[in-house]
Amino acid sequence: MSTLPSENSPEDVNNRSFWMPGNYQRTVKRTEDAFQACNDIVACFQERARVERQYAQQLSEWSNKWKPVVDSSPLYGSLLKAWQCFLSSADRLASLHASICRSLVSEDGDRVRTWQKDTFHKKLFGGFKESQDIDTGFARAQKPWAKRLKKLDKVRRAYHKVSRKEQAAREREAHAQGNPDVAIDKQKKIQEERELAQQEAEKVRARYEKVLEEVNRYAPRYMEEMESIFDQSQDEERKRIVFLKQAFLSIHKHLDITNNESVRAVYNELHNTLMAIDEQEDLRWWKNTHGPGMPTDWPHFQEWTPEKKTKKGKKAGEKKGTIERGVMIGGVRVRALYDYVGQETDELSFKAGEEFLKIEDEDDQGWCRGMKDGGWEGLYPANYVEVV
């Protein structure tokens, strides 16, 4: 279990300082850390790519599952088209997310792998050439400094040792002077020991100060050499940061579907289809296709003729029309309002919006005769067209 961090003493901070011997290893290790980070980045977004692929598959499966249900649903007209548009939009989005998956793997992943291979050069016995160069430079710059620090630490400890010895001699002298039980000769001897300890402390102190002066005099050169190597390391790290920033931006570009024109087109089309739901048009279509607006053969008197069998009302109407309707010279251009599929061979089939010629007027059964551009003639419901 982790523990709360304690307050760092000045000595601990100094021991972790970059300037202390060996502490440059954290900077050297950045190279290996960056190499491992590249592996983690590739693995991370390969997993995201699998998420995108699975989502694309789920969208396609959902669309394929519901298409037959929607196509055979009781809805009709613009409402049916709106429902179908949800499914077609899902198909288009599935293609988009599949392309995101491919981009993350083949474009972004390969880009990081290629850069990693070109940037980090592995050595035969482990490690990387880049980290070894930085490590060698730091070690060379720090070696003279480490020797001086070691010498300084040695004289510091010696000085502290003689200082403790001097302090003990002073305490013994003070105790003897205030104690009548200590003989004069003994007091004199204690005094001489204190004087010798004091002289030795002054001598060691002078040597300590001299070594410290040498260390401080060398410090600027040491700092300059270390900073030079550090700047080289920083430059390499800067290049790594810049590259990974661009790699992340590329990944963001592929994942950010909010700015993708294809996604906008999908949802714009879906929105327009939904807004195009027209209850009046749908109700009119139903009325004309399945309701009172349908053409019908109302009951009428049919003369018996022995020569032929009586045909359906529409045919009788056609026969009667030979007397009551005249052929229109040139015809009148009309446009279909709705789809119509002919139920018999003498009926004309057409799609909504299609144009053709009306060549005979409407009979009393509500049928007209028309002719398409290809010369095909047939009957059609008069209320399914409008004059152009």
Side-chain angles (χ1 to χ4, degrees):
M1 294 178 64
S2 62
T3 58
L4 293 174
S6 59
E7 293 186 2
N8 297 321
S9 67
E11 184 177 354
D12 291 338
V13 173
N14 184 62
N15 289 336
R16 294 198 305 271
S17 170
F18 165 77
W19 301 105
M20 298 304 292
N23 288 354
Y24 61 80
Q25 288 296 336
R26 289 191 295 266
T27 300
V28 174
K29 192 173 180 294
R30 282 196 302 184
T31 301
E32 295 181 5
D33 291 343
F35 181 86
Q36 182 58 43
C38 289
N39 290 337
D40 294 340
I41 289 171
V42 171
C44 173
F45 289 103
Q46 281 182 341
E47 184 172 336
R48 176 59 187 267
R50 288 194 292 272
V51 172
E52 296 292 335
R53 184 179 67 247
Q54 291 167 359
Y55 182 53
Q57 291 173 346
Q58 290 173 347
L59 280 176
S60 295
E61 291 170 359
W62 174 77
S63 176
N64 292 334
K65 173 185 175 181
W66 282 96
K67 274 180 183 177
V69 177
V70 174
D71 292 343
S72 60
S73 75
L75 297 186
Y76 56 91
S78 59
L79 203 60
L80 176 60
K81 290 180 181 178
W83 194 359
Q84 291 171 331
C85 191
F86 277 105
L87 303 183
S88 61
S89 298
D91 290 335
R92 293 167 65 182
L93 289 174
S95 299
L96 172 66
H97 285 280
S99 70
I100 291 176
C101 169
R102 291 190 295 270
S103 296
L104 290 175
V105 174
S106 62
E107 185 174 336
D108 296 321
D110 290 350
R111 181 185 181 192
V112 174
R113 285 295 191 199
T114 301
W115 178 84
Q116 184 187 39
K117 182 179 179 181
D118 294 340
T119 304
F120 301 94
H121 302 89
K122 290 186 176 181
K123 295 184 63 61
L124 183 61
F125 298 104
F128 299 93
K129 178 181 181 300
E130 291 74 19
S131 57
Q132 185 186 43
D133 291 345
I134 296 297
D135 183 75
T136 301
F138 277 133
R140 186 181 296 114
Q142 202 169 74
K143 186 176 181 179
W145 176 256
K147 287 183 178 180
R148 284 172 169 78
L149 286 185
K150 186 176 181 181
K151 183 178 179 181
L152 178 64
D153 184 63
K154 182 178 179 180
V155 297
R156 178 187 61 80
R157 286 187 282 106
Y159 170 66
H160 289 176
K161 182 178 180 181
V162 298
S163 294
R164 288 192 297 271
K165 184 178 179 181
E166 180 191 9
Q167 179 64 23
R170 287 182 183 278
E171 291 175 353
R172 285 196 303 272
E173 181 183 24
H175 177 71
Q177 288 177 351
N179 189 348
D181 296 333
V182 179
I184 300 298
D185 293 342
K186 183 67 173 177
Q187 290 183 10
K188 186 176 181 180
K189 184 178 180 180
I190 291 175
Q191 182 180 1
E192 290 175 353
E193 289 177 354
R194 191 270 302 164
E195 290 174 350
L196 288 174
Q198 182 178 355
Q199 292 173 3
E200 184 180 2
E202 291 175 352
K203 181 179 178 181
V204 175
R205 178 187 178 91
R207 187 162 63 248
Y208 179 27
E209 290 176 343
K210 181 180 179 181
V211 173
L212 180 60
E213 182 182 357
E214 291 176 356
V215 170
N216 289 334
R217 192 165 52 247
Y218 185 77
R221 176 181 174 183
Y222 167 64
M223 294 173 66
E224 180 181 358
E225 292 179 354
M226 289 291 286
E227 287 181 350
S228 175
I229 304 301
F230 183 77
D231 289 343
Q232 295 177 26
S233 174
Q234 289 287 82
D235 186 57
E236 292 183 3
E237 184 70 5
R238 179 189 61 80
K239 294 176 182 178
R240 290 193 283 265
I241 293 172
V242 169
F243 169 78
L244 291 177
K245 175 183 178 180
Q246 296 303 318
F248 283 151
L249 286 174
S250 176
I251 293 171
H252 172 266
K253 180 181 178 182
H254 291 140
L255 292 177
D256 184 12
I257 61 175
T258 60
N259 292 320
N260 189 296
E261 292 298 331
S262 299
V263 175
R264 289 181 181 178
V266 169
Y267 284 106
N268 285 339
E269 180 178 333
L270 177 58
H271 180 265
N272 292 337
T273 303
L274 299 179
M275 294 303 296
I277 295 176
D278 187 340
E279 65 276 14
Q280 297 299 330
E281 183 64 27
D282 286 358
L283 293 173
R284 183 165 50 251
W285 178 87
W286 185 269
K287 177 181 179 180
N288 292 330
T289 305
H290 302 291
M294 295 179 66
T296 187
D297 187 5
W298 294 102
H300 62 282
F301 182 82
Q302 295 179 330
E303 186 64 58
W304 177 81
T305 55
E307 294 81 11
K308 291 184 178 181
K309 293 183 179 180
T310 305
K311 294 187 178 180
K312 293 177 65 176
K314 183 183 64 171
K315 304 295 179 150
E318 179 186 352
K319 189 174 182 181
K320 182 179 179 182
T322 58
I323 301 174
E324 298 180 353
R325 290 185 295 168
V327 176
M328 304 175 67
I329 304 301
V332 177
R333 197 75 175 171
V334 294
R335 180 186 296 114
L337 295 172
Y338 315 102
D339 294 347
Y340 182 74
V341 178
Q343 303 299 314
E344 298 187 19
T345 57
D346 62 343
E347 293 180 3
L348 204 60
S349 299
F350 46 77
K351 297 286 186 181
E354 187 175 351
E355 295 184 4
F356 52 89
L357 288 176
K358 180 175 74 171
I359 58 176
E360 290 185 7
D361 284 325
E362 179 182 355
D363 63 13
D364 57 357
Q365 305 300 316
W367 294 85
C368 293
R369 178 173 291 277
M371 181 175 67
K372 288 190 173 183
D373 293 341
W376 178 261
E377 293 186 20
L379 300 173
Y380 64 87
N383 60 351
Y384 269 55
V385 303
E386 64 179 359
V387 177
V388 178

